[in-house]
Each structure stands twice: as C-alpha cells, then as structure tokens.
C-alpha cells in the first residue's frame, strides 16, 4: 500500500490449496487447478472494497462491504422525542378525586410505545408497571417512563418506582428515591454519577407488579384514542412492507413478506423460499398468551430437492423438502404459552400446541439467574410429534421427548457469551452442544456451534470412521443498527455445512434466556442506567488490560524450554528414559495382540463412548483454556489459561514433528507394526 496512494493496494498470495482432493471438486470444475500464485490490485474506500485479480489462468473480480460492527453508523433522525410537555401537576387530593390525571399519564405512556401500563399512587410514592415493545434498551425505556411520570405525577411525589416487565413477568425494578435529583438530571443540571447514588436497581420480586389496571372507563377512552395510531403500513421493524396493528396491551397482528435461504443441498447449492406470513398474538390473561401464525408460499424452489435423505437416524430435519412439496397455506404456529415467576430470579414457562412447521408438542422450561454472577442456567423438556407434510393438524408416526439443560456464561469483556446444552436431542441422540458468540457495540451478534452426540451419523458426509457432528455459524442482526429509529426487531440467520438429523433441537415456543438476555445484559451494564436520559453519558472507564498479551510470558516460556533441554542429560532423565523405553518395548511386543483385541471390539459401545469422551476432553480443555485466557477480571486465571494453551501448542507441535520423523503406518493401512517411513503423509501415520 504506497503512501502516495492510500486507498490502493497491490496484493499477492501463494494458493497452496489441494484442489483435486477438495469435496465436489469435479462438480465445480476446480479439480484441474494447480498450486499457483494469485496477484491483484485492490481499492478501498470507507466500507467499500473492489479487487481485480489474476491466477489459475482466470481473471477474478470481487466487490465487498466491510461493515464496522463496533460502531453505531445510522443516526436516529426519526426517533420520537421524549415527553417534554409542560402540564400543571395536580395535588394528591386532585389526583385521587379526578381520574383524568391518571388517564393523562396513561395516555402519554401509551403514545411512547409502552404497553400493559398500570399505575398506583400511594401517599408520596408513584408505582408504574409497564413494558416497551419498541425501545431496544430497558434502561432507556425506563428513563423515558420516569420523565413522563415525573412531569404528570402529583406535586407531593417523593419517590418514583418503575417495574419493567418482560412477557408479563416483572424483571427489574427501578426506584428513584429523590425525585428532585431526577428532575435536575433530566434538566442537565447534574450528571449520571450524581444521580446513580439515588437510584436502586434490583431484580423484581414476583409481587412487584401487583398493581391494579385502570378502571374500565379510563381504559375504554384510551383504547378509543389509540385506535387511529395502531395501524401501520411501515418499515419500522425492518420489513420491506408490513401491515401491523397493536393494542394497548400486548395484542398484536402483523402480515409481512418473508424470505428464507437454504444452502449446500446436494441437488443444488441455492434454494430459496419467498412467502407471506401472518401472525396474531393475544394476551388471554395475566402471563398467558396465544400465538398463531400461518404462511403461504409465493415463490420457492426448495421443493425441487430430489435427493432423498440417506440418514440412518430418525429423519427429524433431513426431510425438510417434503414440507415444501405440499403447496398452499400452512399452519406454522398455534401455541398457548403460560409464564411463571415463582420467586425472584426464577422464571418458568409451560407451552402446548404447534411449535414450528415440522413439530408440535407440549413442554416447559425453567430459568434461574444468580444474584450477581454472569452465568445463568435453564432446563427445557418437550414431548414433540412430527407434523404431517401438508402443514395441517395431522401428524406422522414419530414422537420423542427432548430434554436439554443449558449453562450460559457472559464474559466480562469482548462481548462473549458461551453456552453449553446437554441432554437428549430430537433424533433421540444424547450429547452436548457447545456455542460461543460475540456481541459487538452495534448490537450485531456472530457465533458458532458444535454438537457431539452418540448419534453416529456415518452416512455421507460422515463415514464409519468419522461420524458427522452438527456444526455451523449463526448471526443475529438487530434492525436497530440499520434503521433511523430505535427498534427491538431482529433477524436471525444460521448456516450449517449440511442439513442432518444429528444434534438437532426443536424450535422453542419462547426461550426464556433469549427473551430476557437483552434486559439482563442491560441491567448488568455499568450502573444499570445506560442512556437513562437519552444521552450517551457513560462514566469514563479506562480500557481494561489486554489479558492475553499481558499473560503471555515468553521469557518464562523460553526458560522452561531451555531447562527442559538441559535436563535431558541428567541422571534422573536417564532412568526415566530407560523405563520409558522398556514400556515402549513391551507395548511393541504386545502390539499384534492388542491390535487384534481392538479390531474385534471396535464396535463395542464402551470403546466408542471412551473415544467420544477423549474428543470432548481434548477439545473442551483447549476451549476452556481459551475462555480462561480471555478473562480480564482474574489475572491468575488468565495466566493459567495462556500457559495451558502454550502447553497444548507445544505438545501438538512435538507430536506433529515426531509423526513426520517416525512415520509409522496407521493400523488401518494393514502394513503391520514394522512399517516405518520417515516423511509419510501425516494422515497416514500413527504415533
């Protein structure tokens, strides 16, 4: 990149890929490629990059966008302003005698997208129970509600209490114990640090939302006022076009076009589905909801998939194409969800109905949040039946019980969250699914998963010696980062190398951790008051130390390596080496007998389970070491993780060198225990 042309670069690489041995190389036509140098010229401007290259006797042209995931790049120019109307405040006696004051506050809150609002005035305290269906940050929504309540509450008010609910469950309670300081904060006279000492933010007690709704006449008047403002032809949730209507509670109806992609099918890499989706949500009673959704295909080619499933497991996902070959309107969801909040930080759900396009059932989930720790745990149990291909109320002859326990751990820095789910999956296989994701400042989330079960998926792309394990990458795209107005809407996408049956999960009717995750993150962020006054006024915090860089002590590493070299020639090492040679000799002498024994029992369940356990321990140890190395809160833990990774790399390198130097043939090659060939391909060597 020359200094006199800062946006231009000359690029070159040696492409050492072994194209002839790539999967499906003959289908894509790259099997005739040789290793080659590829060179090109590149131009970059802001987010945009253009590249022209030449290599493998072909000219390549590439254009791309580099999105800054750590920035909020779309200004919120269409964001509604907070409530700033100047209204004479009533006295407590006037409030109690005239219901118009409560109606005014209720109406002001509903116009700001607050739902299920309930207001209580007792002596000098105003308590408001509510939720917000649009604003993405709980603390920002609470700030807008507090400003509104402050401007419209009785003049005798000394304390404001706001209970924020999620799925009609009280989640967090904000208590402003000095309304004068709150008023000074909103007027810009004091900063957030001065206010934070007079705000108590805590997990809600289940009884915190025990506030009666407004009287029937007040609700009727408000409902009439809201009618003209609850129907939309808009794009505020990221849809190209949608029809949406909402009530003052959590009732909702929406119709919008949807688009889905299915990649990497053997019948053709690119499959798509454009359909119209209608969903209706209704609150039937406290914490009880009905959800119904239907879909009608407009254009699709998923039904063109002709290759039948080759899976030996129950076909819980590999027959997805069959659900598209039956055209017409299909029932996608028909659910009853009942939520519970039996005690502080304990949440539960019971569900029954049509879960998704492929399964229906009954089940439940329990979630526990510790008081201050970064982890959470939940248990989901569902009895599900496979639905008929026509998308109606019929079922196929397959049912199972899935039971998955999960532990989620949010790391203090880097925006990382690790999740482990273990138990019984859809195809009746038992194992564990490991997930890791990173959340960027823009709200984008990217992650990956890897599942190990006893399903033994040995048909292609798996094999008897190398079963396929479910894996893939996923992303969560918040429309808040892409629109000029704040929104809670998100898009979710995932990509797996293959659609298989091993390690599959049913779509949750309403995953509790997913529902509460944003609010949980917001509550535990700094002082729980992020953007309370619609301002980015976070207190200054010096950047945390780079745990990995500061924990890597290469001098000590070199010292230990040097000491290891010196100790090779000690008398102690001599005797240990002599004993090791004796063990190796005995192993070599008994090799044929051991090999025959293993070959005769290679399908033994215990042996296979020990083999799988070995993989879990190996990958799990390295993974946990990596997570420990990233912990900026605990320096000792971080250094231990870095040391463990150094040891793993040293062991791996030593093993690879010895493999190459010794070159002993793998038993599967049938060449015998005496076959040594230094320099043999590492895939063919055993050491």
């Amino acid at each position: 990149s020359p200094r006199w042309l800062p946006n231009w670069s000359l690029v070159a690489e040696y492409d050492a890929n072994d194209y002839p041995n790539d999967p499906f190389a003959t289908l894509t036509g790259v099997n005739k490629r040789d290793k080659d140098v590829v060179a090109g010229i590149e131009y970059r401007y802001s987010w945009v990059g253009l590249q022209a290259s030449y290599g493998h006797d072909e000219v390549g042209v590439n254009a791309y966008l580099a999105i800054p995931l750590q920035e909020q790049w779309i200004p919120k120019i269409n964001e509604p302003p907070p409530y700033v109307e100047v209204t004479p405040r009533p006295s407590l006696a006037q409030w109690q005698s005239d219901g118009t004051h409560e109606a005014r506050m209720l109406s002001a809150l509903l116009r700001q997208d607050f739902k299920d609002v309930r207001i209580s005035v007792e002596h000098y305290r105003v308590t408001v129970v509510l939720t917000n269906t649009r604003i993405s940050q709980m603390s920002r929504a609470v700030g807008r509600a507090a400003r509104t309540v402050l401007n419209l509450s009785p003049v005798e008010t000394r304390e404001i209490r706001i209970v924020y609910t999620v799925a009609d469950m009280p989640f967090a309670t904000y208590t402003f114990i000095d309304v004068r300081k709150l008023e000074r904060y909103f007027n810009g006279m004091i900063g957030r640090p001065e206010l934070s000492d007079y705000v108590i933010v805590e997990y809600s007690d289940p009884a915190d939302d025990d506030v009666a709704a407004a009287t029937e006449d007040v609700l009727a008047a408000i409902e009439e006022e809201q009618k003209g403002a609850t129907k939309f032809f808009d794009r505020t949730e990221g849809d190209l076009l949608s029809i949406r209507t909402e009530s003052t509670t959590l009732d909702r109806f929406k119709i919008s076009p949807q688009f889905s992609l299915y990649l990497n099918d053997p019948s053709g890499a690119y499959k798509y589905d454009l359909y119209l989706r209608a969903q209706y949500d209704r609150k039937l009673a406290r914490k009880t909801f009905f959800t119904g959704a239907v879909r009608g295909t407009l254009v699709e080619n998923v039904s063109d998939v002709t290759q039948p499933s080759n899976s030996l497991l129950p076909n819980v996902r590999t027959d997805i194409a069959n659900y598209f070959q039956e055209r017409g309107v299909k029932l996608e969801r028909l659910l009853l969800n009942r939520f519970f909040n039996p005690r502080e930080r304990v949440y539960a759900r019971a569900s029954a109905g049509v879960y998704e396009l492929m399964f229906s059932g009954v089940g439940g989930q329990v979630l526990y949040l510790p008081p201050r720790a970064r982890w959470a745990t939940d248990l989901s149990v569902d009895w599900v039946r496979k639905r008929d291909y026509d998308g109606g109320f019929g079922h196929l002859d397959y049912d199972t019980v899935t039971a998955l326990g999960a532990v989620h751990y949010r790391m203090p820095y880097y925006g990382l969250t690790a999740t482990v789910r273990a138990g019984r999956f859809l195809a009746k296989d038992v194992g564990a699914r490991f997930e890791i994701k990173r959340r960027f400042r823009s709200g984008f989330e990217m992650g990956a998963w890897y599942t190990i079960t006893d399903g033994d998926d040995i048909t292609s792309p798996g094999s008897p010696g190398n079963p396929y394990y479910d894996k893939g990458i996923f992303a969560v795209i918040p429309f808040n980062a892409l629109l000029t107005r704040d929104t809670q809407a998100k898009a979710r996408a995932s990509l797996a190398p293959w659609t298989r049956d091993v390690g599959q999960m049913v779509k949750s009717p309403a995953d509790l951790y997913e529902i509460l995750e944003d609010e949980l993150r917001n509550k535990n962020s700094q002082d729980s008051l992020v953007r309370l006054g619609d301002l980015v006024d976070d207190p200054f915090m010096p950047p945390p130390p780079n745990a990995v860089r500061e924990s890597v002590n290469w001098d000590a590493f070199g010292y230990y390596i040097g000491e290891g070299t010196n100790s090779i020639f000690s008398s102690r090492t001599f005797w240990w080496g002599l004993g090791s040679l004796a063990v190796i000799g005995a192993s070599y002498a008994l090799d044929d007998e051991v090999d025959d024994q293993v070959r005769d029992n290679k399908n033994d369940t215990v042996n296979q389970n020990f083999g799988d356990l070995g993989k879990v321990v190996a990958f799990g140890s390295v993974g946990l070491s990596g997570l420990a190395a990233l912990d900026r809160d605990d320096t000792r833990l971080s250094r231990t993780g870095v040391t463990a990774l150094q040891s793993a790399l040293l062991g791996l390198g030593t093993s690879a060198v010895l493999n190459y130097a010794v070159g002993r043939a793998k038993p599967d090659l049938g060449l015998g225990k005496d076959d040594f060939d230094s320099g043999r391909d590492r895939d063919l060597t055993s050491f």
Side-chain angles (χ1 to χ4, degrees):
S1 298
R3 292 183 179 178
W4 45 275
L5 281 176
N7 296 336
W8 292 86
S9 301
L10 297 174
V11 295
E13 70 176 13
Y14 179 65
D15 185 359
N17 194 51
D18 186 12
Y19 285 103
N21 290 322
D22 264 3
F24 308 108
T26 55
L27 295 178
T28 58
V30 300
N31 57 314
K32 298 179 181 178
R33 282 186 178 179
D34 295 323
K35 299 175 182 179
D36 195 7
V37 175
V38 182
I41 185 169
E42 187 173 81
Y43 175 78
R44 294 184 184 182
Y45 179 76
S46 185
W47 296 10
V48 181
L50 300 171
Q51 186 187 83
S53 62
Y54 182 80
H56 303 294
D57 298 325
E58 292 180 353
V59 174
V61 179
N62 182 32
Y64 61 90
L65 292 176
I67 300 175
L69 296 178
Q70 292 286 53
E71 301 175 12
Q72 288 280 359
W73 60 86
I74 303 294
K76 298 294 179 280
I77 57 177
N78 293 322
E79 181 68 4
Y83 185 86
V84 292
E85 295 181 21
V86 178
T87 306
R89 296 172 61 186
S91 66
L92 182 59
Q94 290 172 326
W95 176 282
Q96 293 172 341
S97 62
D98 187 354
T100 58
H101 301 293
E102 180 183 355
R104 183 183 295 116
M105 181 185 293
L106 184 59
S107 177
L109 290 169
L110 293 174
R111 286 198 300 269
Q112 298 174 75
D113 301 299
F114 289 100
K115 305 293 181 185
D116 260 1
V117 181
R118 284 166 279 154
I119 302 170
S120 171
V121 177
E122 297 177 343
H123 303 296
Y124 304 112
R125 172 194 283 181
V126 177
T127 300
V128 181
V129 180
L130 49 71
T131 190
N132 195 287
T133 57
R134 183 185 66 82
I135 298 176
S136 58
Q137 290 178 308
M138 175 180 66
S139 54
R140 180 168 176 252
V142 168
R144 288 203 164 198
R147 188 194 297 262
T148 306
V149 173
L150 182 64
N151 288 338
L152 297 175
S153 61
V155 292
E156 293 93 341
T157 300
R158 296 292 178 265
E159 182 180 299
I160 294 175
R161 202 160 162 264
I162 296 179
V163 181
Y164 193 89
T165 65
V166 182
D168 210 22
M169 297 180 293
F171 176 75
T173 299
Y174 285 70
T175 304
F176 301 91
I177 59 177
D178 190 331
V179 295
R180 293 185 183 277
K181 287 195 179 294
L182 182 63
E183 186 175 18
R184 289 167 62 82
Y185 170 72
F186 285 137
N187 291 335
M189 301 174 68
I190 62 172
R192 204 167 101 195
E194 290 83 2
L195 174 68
S196 60
D197 290 338
Y198 299 90
V199 184
I200 302 171
V201 184
E202 54 194 349
Y203 287 106
S204 298
D205 185 90
D208 282 355
D209 70 336
D210 190 16
V211 174
T215 58
E216 291 293 333
D217 55 336
V218 171
L219 289 176
I222 297 299
E223 192 73 41
E224 186 66 29
E225 178 188 338
Q226 293 288 313
K227 277 185 178 179
T230 56
K231 296 181 180 179
F232 300 86
F233 262 103
D234 69 346
R235 300 179 182 178
T236 56
E237 292 190 350
D239 301 297
L240 293 177
L241 182 66
S242 72
I243 303 173
R244 179 162 55 94
T245 177
E246 296 179 340
S247 72
T248 56
T249 59
L250 295 173
D251 300 345
R252 192 170 189 265
F253 177 72
K254 178 180 177 181
I255 301 177
S256 63
Q258 305 287 323
F259 185 71
S260 298
L261 282 176
Y262 301 87
L263 304 176
N264 286 2
D265 180 76
S267 314
Y270 182 79
K271 300 295 179 184
Y272 60 87
D273 177 31
L274 177 63
Y275 59 96
L276 199 63
R277 187 176 190 271
Q279 178 167 326
Y280 177 60
D281 300 289
R282 183 171 181 82
K283 180 179 175 181
L284 301 177
R286 291 287 297 273
K287 301 182 177 65
T288 305
F289 297 88
F290 166 81
T291 297
V294 295
R295 51 174 287 160
T297 299
L298 301 176
V299 183
E300 59 86 22
N301 67 349
V302 185
S303 59
D304 296 341
V305 173
T306 56
Q307 182 168 326
S309 171
N310 66 349
S311 175
L312 302 180
L313 296 171
N315 293 169
V316 295
R317 294 297 183 198
T318 52
D319 59 347
I320 177 66
N322 295 338
Y323 287 85
F324 291 89
Q325 290 168 357
E326 296 277 351
R327 299 296 180 94
V329 177
K330 296 190 175 185
L331 183 64
E332 192 178 83
R333 282 206 149 190
L334 192 68
L335 278 170
L336 279 177
N337 283 322
R338 166 68 171 160
F339 296 94
F340 304 90
N341 185 199
R343 55 179 297 183
E344 182 182 314
R345 296 176 286 102
V346 177
Y347 309 90
R349 167 186 54 80
S351 305
V354 177
Y355 281 25
E356 51 162 286
L357 188 63
M358 301 180 72
F359 287 93
S360 60
V362 296
Q365 182 183 13
V366 178
L367 170 70
Y368 171 73
L369 303 177
R372 285 173 292 277
R374 296 189 184 92
W375 61 272
T377 183
D378 68 76
L379 173 66
S380 302
V381 179
D382 296 278
W383 173 78
V384 294
R385 292 186 66 188
K386 188 81 176 292
R387 295 182 63 201
D388 206 346
Y389 299 135
D390 61 6
F393 292 97
H395 291 85
L396 303 177
D397 188 21
Y398 180 78
D399 66 275
T400 186
V401 174
T402 67
L404 293 172
V407 176
H408 316 268
Y409 178 71
R410 303 185 321 278
M411 296 177 210
Y413 300 105
Y414 304 105
L416 291 172
T417 300
T419 298
V420 178
R421 308 180 195 273
R424 195 172 194 247
F425 292 85
L426 264 180
K428 302 181 181 180
D429 49 330
V430 177
R433 171 180 165 122
F434 304 89
E435 302 172 13
I436 183 77
K437 69 177 180 180
R438 181 181 182 186
R439 187 178 190 275
F440 298 89
R441 292 194 190 102
S442 60
F444 275 75
E445 295 180 1
M446 302 188 72
W449 80 87
Y450 192 90
T451 307
I452 300 176
T453 76
D454 61 358
D456 288 335
D457 188 6
I458 61 174
T459 53
S460 179
S463 64
N466 185 25
Y468 180 81
Y469 294 113
D470 184 53
K471 51 188 171 290
I473 58 175
F474 63 89
V476 178
I477 305 168
F479 291 133
N480 175 51
L482 306 174
L483 302 175
T484 57
R485 186 178 183 182
D486 196 5
T487 179
Q488 296 179 8
K490 298 178 181 179
R492 303 177 188 275
S494 61
L495 179 63
W498 300 97
T499 300
R500 305 297 295 171
D501 298 312
V502 65
Q504 298 300 311
M505 302 187 301
V506 70
K507 185 176 181 180
S508 173
D511 185 80
L512 290 173
Y513 185 77
E514 188 176 297
I515 289 174
L516 295 171
E517 186 176 16
D518 286 345
E519 285 74 19
L520 182 64
R521 182 189 302 110
N522 181 256
K523 180 185 179 300
N524 293 323
S525 177
Q526 301 179 48
D527 55 2
S528 307
L529 304 178
V530 175
R531 298 195 67 188
L532 182 82
D534 275 294
L535 300 171
V536 181
D537 56 355
D538 296 340
F540 172 75
M541 298 179 65
N546 188 311
V548 175
R549 183 172 62 242
E550 296 188 5
S551 298
V552 176
N553 190 336
W554 291 112
D555 293 335
F557 187 63
Y559 171 79
Y560 287 123
I561 297 296
E563 285 298 301
T565 304
N566 296 333
S567 66
I568 289 176
F569 302 101
S570 67
S571 59
R572 184 183 180 191
T573 307
F574 172 78
W575 289 110
W576 273 107
L578 193 62
S580 300
L581 286 175
V583 172
I584 292 173
S587 302
Y588 184 77
L590 297 172
D591 187 275
D592 291 332
E593 288 77 7
V594 173
D595 191 42
D596 291 341
Q597 189 75 12
V598 171
R599 200 182 303 275
D600 293 341
N601 295 277
K602 65 179 181 180
N603 294 323
D604 183 76
T605 303
V606 175
N607 287 339
Q608 291 179 344
N609 289 340
F610 269 107
D612 292 338
L613 179 63
K615 295 176 184 177
V616 171
V617 170
F619 287 109
S621 299
V622 174
L624 291 174
S625 299
L627 295 179
L630 295 174
D631 193 330
R632 295 186 177 185
D633 275 359
D634 191 333
T635 305
R636 184 180 180 188
L637 178 62
S638 175
R639 289 175 179 169
T640 303
V642 170
T643 304
L645 290 177
Q646 289 176 331
S647 302
L649 289 173
L650 181 62
L652 184 63
T654 303
S655 174
V657 170
L658 289 175
N659 247 335
Y660 186 82
V662 176
R664 189 187 189 196
K666 274 190 172 181
D668 291 345
L669 298 178
L671 299 177
K673 65 180 183 181
D674 301 322
D675 190 89
F676 295 88
D677 182 9
S678 179
R680 192 196 305 267
D681 191 315
R682 192 170 63 87
D683 292 336
L684 305 176
T685 61
S686 175
F687 189 82

